Amino acid sequence: MKVEVLGSSAGGGLPQWNCRCENCRLARQGDESVVPRTQSSVAVSPDGRDWVLLNASPDLRDQVNAFLPFHDVEGSRGTRVRSVVLTDAEVDHAGGLLLMREAGRLDVFTTPAVREHLTKHWTLLPALESFLDLQHRSLRVDVSGPSVGLFDGRLHMDTFSVSGTPPSYSVRSATPGDTVGLEIRDADTDRTFVYVPGLGEVTDALQARLRGASLVMVDGTFWSDDELAAVDPSAPDARDMGHMPMSGPDGTLRILETLPEAQAVYVHINNTNPVLRRDSTPRDRVESAGVTVARDGMEFAV
Ligand code: MLT
Ligand code: MN
Ligand code: ZN
């Protein structure tokens, strides 16, 4: 299985259009210590030919144009992107679906909770349906059952619920399936890739999944709990936004540095996060722990 990081930043990207935090200023100036990043999405393929997108970011157009394997098709129209899986209904993960409206047909995998957000509270899926043949594929969470087969069974995908918050545009209270992680197994090698770009709490069950994986990509939104409040005093803490910070005794770095087998990578990194600066102490801490800070265009083989 191949995994391509299309976008490694959280919502807003780096630099974010209206932000003058230190990272955004440096990235805008072209300072080499902070590399610009697009919003959160990865692509997965069993063979490097056919691909599924995990999340569709508002930067999808640039991401797709930059990744040549998607364009290895016969004829004047078409793509190697066969489907999209959403891990939540946030703008940064779903907004790019509207940029795929010329597809003709698109398979979109959602949990019932995500589909409800994108049908009742933000009518993105009905809007998309007016442009193309939208095949709704259901992701079940927290029920044991057969995995979803992708690419004629060459990949198997399990979905699991993680702690998160419903999107701020939605009126209903939190429910399981608002935010999910994915475990994708290669049928040939039996190796797994675990993708959890939003993560409010690290449970024992999640740790067990991470331990069994060859590659994990985990929520790297914030280094510290109060990081966003430093640039936006009205902002809530990281945990209240459904993002466990990297640092601290219960932070995600303590978990990722103990994984025996897995290559661990932070994705969905917010533009305020000091790990984005190549010369920062937090970046040094992460890299000394053997964990990778993702950049757009990184490729992994599982
Ligand atoms: C999140 O990950 O918490 C959301 O995408 C925040 C946002 O950009 O609205
Ligand atoms: Mn997000
Ligand atoms: Zn910023």
Side-chain angles (χ1 to χ4, degrees):
M1 158 170 44
K2 291 185 187 304
V3 180
E4 171 83 13
V5 178
L6 298 175
S8 50
S9 173
L14 170 68
Q16 178 176 312
W17 71 286
N18 65 343
C19 189
R20 280 176 303 284
C21 74
E22 188 177 358
N23 290 342
C24 285
R25 278 191 292 107
L26 290 169
R28 204 172 278 122
Q29 284 163 17
D31 190 293
E32 62 181 25
S33 67
V34 181
V35 177
R37 286 164 166 84
T38 62
Q39 294 170 87
S40 174
S41 175
V42 309
V44 177
S45 173
D47 52 12
R49 275 177 71 76
D50 292 308
W51 296 83
V52 56
L53 298 190
L54 310 184
N55 294 314
S57 97
D59 297 319
L60 178 138
R61 185 175 169 280
D62 292 332
Q63 294 168 344
V64 167
N65 281 330
F67 190 56
L68 295 181
F70 290 165
H71 307 285
D72 183 18
V73 282
E74 302 289 321
S76 53
R77 281 268 165 104
T79 169
R80 290 269 168 206
V81 179
R82 303 252 302 250
S83 48
V84 181
V85 182
L86 300 183
T87 60
D88 60 44
E90 298 283 353
V91 174
D92 58 347
H93 280 159
L97 283 176
L98 288 175
L99 306 178
M100 303 177 86
R101 63 190 179 282
E102 300 91 348
R105 170 192 160 138
L106 193 63
D107 288 31
V108 179
F109 293 83
T110 54
T111 63
V114 165
R115 188 167 164 189
E116 183 194 338
H117 291 305
L118 295 176
T119 303
K120 290 195 182 148
H121 306 296
W122 176 20
T123 54
L124 183 143
L125 292 177
L128 189 62
E129 226 155 8
S130 69
F131 292 97
L132 50 66
D133 173 16
L134 177 58
Q135 297 289 318
H136 292 282
R137 310 283 302 270
S138 255
L139 297 174
R140 301 191 310 168
V141 285
D142 300 335
V143 284
S144 51
S147 312
V148 172
L150 298 170
F151 306 107
D152 302 320
R154 282 179 291 167
L155 302 180
H156 295 274
M157 179 171 68
D158 283 326
T159 311
F160 54 93
S161 183
V162 292
S163 146
T165 51
S168 42
Y169 62 77
S170 186
V171 291
R172 75 146 165 66
S173 53
T175 191
D178 282 342
T179 309
V180 297
L182 305 171
E183 181 175 308
I184 301 179
R185 180 179 304 276
D186 186 306
D188 276 344
T189 64
D190 216 32
R191 288 155 72 95
T192 60
F193 162 48
V194 174
Y195 177 61
V196 200
L199 177 61
E201 193 189 346
V202 185
T203 60
D204 291 347
L206 177 65
Q207 286 198 48
R209 281 187 196 273
L210 296 176
R211 276 181 205 293
S214 298
L215 173 67
V216 305
M217 291 190 182
V218 171
D219 183 345
T221 313
F222 298 114
W223 171 254
S224 56
D225 217 15
D226 56 357
E227 175 184 312
L228 196 54
V231 291
D232 175 3
S234 66
D237 283 352
R239 283 178 178 77
D240 294 333
M241 293 180 70
H243 298 292
M244 180 60 71
M246 296 175 175
S247 64
D250 60 350
T252 52
L253 188 58
R254 292 281 284 268
I255 308 296
L256 297 187
E257 69 187 351
T258 64
L259 297 182
E261 306 288 340
Q263 178 157 21
V265 181
Y266 277 124
V267 293
H268 192 277
I269 308 162
N270 197 56
N271 56 70
T272 51
N273 193 323
V275 303
L276 291 168
R277 281 195 305 284
R278 213 174 269 156
D279 53 1
S280 68
T281 304
R283 172 67 157 264
D284 194 46
R285 293 255 304 275
V286 169
E287 289 182 343
S288 305
V291 178
T292 300
V293 175
R295 276 174 62 167
D296 297 7
M298 277 185 170
E299 293 181 17
F300 298 88
V302 177

